[in-house]
Amino acid sequence: MARKPRAFEIGGFYHVVKRAVDGQKIFRSSQDSSRFIFGLEFFSNKEPINLWSILGKTKGVSDTTFVERLQGKRAQGRVPIVEIHSFVLMPNHFHLILREIISGGISLFMQRMSGYSRYFNEQYKRKGVLFESRFKAVHIQDNIQLSNAFVYVHTNPVSLWEKGWKEFEVKNPQAVLQKLEQFSQSSYLDYTTEPRLPFLTTKFFFDFYGNKNNCRAAVEDWVRFKAKNTEFGPEF
């Protein structure tokens, strides 16, 4: 029996999560991350490009070559079908904060993003599905939930360095914050340093928090709060 299509509210914000089957690692190299991030950019356009036809079988291709091949396409401009406000890539899943701006935009965008499976299977000589069948989407209802989602997405990598993160046991919060400033597989640096990724809609959260220093403070405060070993339930 076919699943009923999900309805997303125009103008609504959604915290979206997509996980790999069996918890397998889906980002094994910087090239994998770059390929996925290019998908975020070009598959959120009204007229998507065929990344496979441009990049081909890309084993061994440098990040610089990726950029060089896509500069012409990027210069053609963007007509987005969805706003991408935040993201993070984890070893076996990814998180996004998306805003629906046209009817069916999020569903179409996520369908296109599943094309990463073809790249991954070709790259690593595997067969079969890569992701679980359906992404999870939580409708963000108010400003508190919106702020929590922003912080949650950008602190997700902390679990890579602090094994007790989910149990609110952070042994070295200062080291964690330094590592977050060096973690390039998320939108955090676009909110705390200089803009890197042209497809991100950063203005909303800059206005929401007031400035980039407050964006950083929201994340840092949560890390330090967790270091106090205070009980609080995770969203996912």
Side-chain angles (χ1 to χ4, degrees), residues 91-116:
N92 61 7
H93 68 283
F94 61 89
H95 293 260
L96 306 168
I97 297 179
L98 304 177
R99 185 167 179 254
E100 179 92 332
I101 59 174
I102 66 168
S103 180
I106 289 177
S107 294
L108 177 58
F109 171 65
M110 292 302 293
Q111 179 183 356
R112 291 172 176 176
M113 287 302 297
S114 65
Y116 179 79

Side-chain angles (χ1 to χ4, degrees), residues 55-205:
L55 301 176
K57 296 182 179 180
T58 53
K59 196 170 184 65
V61 173
S62 68
D63 292 349
T64 301
T65 302
F66 269 120
V67 174
E68 290 173 348
R69 292 185 184 182
L70 291 171
Q71 283 298 343
K73 295 293 183 180
R74 177 175 288 162
Q76 293 177 7
R78 287 176 45 77
V79 180
I81 61 172
V82 65
E83 286 180 358
I84 305 174
H85 289 261
S86 302
F87 76 92
V88 65
L89 309 187
M90 298 296 288
N92 61 7
H93 68 283
F94 61 89
H95 293 260
L96 306 168
I97 297 179
L98 304 177
R99 185 167 179 254
E100 179 92 332
I101 59 174
I102 66 168
S103 180
I106 289 177
S107 294
L108 177 58
F109 171 65
M110 292 302 293
Q111 179 183 356
R112 291 172 176 176
M113 287 302 297
S114 65
Y116 179 79
S117 299
R118 179 183 176 186
Y119 157 81
F120 189 88
N121 284 354
E122 290 281 349
Q123 192 77 347
Y124 297 105
K125 310 301 180 187
R126 72 179 294 275
K127 296 181 180 180
V129 296
L130 182 63
F131 293 105
E132 293 178 349
S133 59
R134 207 173 202 194
F135 62 90
K136 182 175 182 179
V138 174
H139 189 189
I140 298 172
Q141 303 286 348
D142 54 39
N143 286 347
I144 293 175
Q145 192 179 3
L146 190 62
S147 181
N148 287 344
F150 178 87
V151 171
Y152 184 87
V153 166
H154 290 127
T155 57
N156 229 246
V158 177
S159 63
L160 302 175
W161 314 311
E162 289 275 358
K163 301 306 180 184
W165 172 248
K166 291 186 177 180
E167 288 71 39
F168 291 73
E169 296 177 0
V170 178
K171 297 178 180 179
N172 194 335
Q174 194 57 41
V176 163
L177 294 174
Q178 290 176 354
K179 288 180 178 180
L180 282 178
E181 294 287 348
Q182 300 167 356
F183 190 80
S184 61
Q185 286 79 51
S186 84
S187 51
Y188 183 61
L189 297 180
D190 292 85
Y191 284 104
T192 60
T193 57
E194 297 299 324
R196 304 172 302 147
L197 303 171
F199 61 87
L200 285 173
T201 305
T202 55
K203 184 179 184 303
F204 177 85
F205 276 112

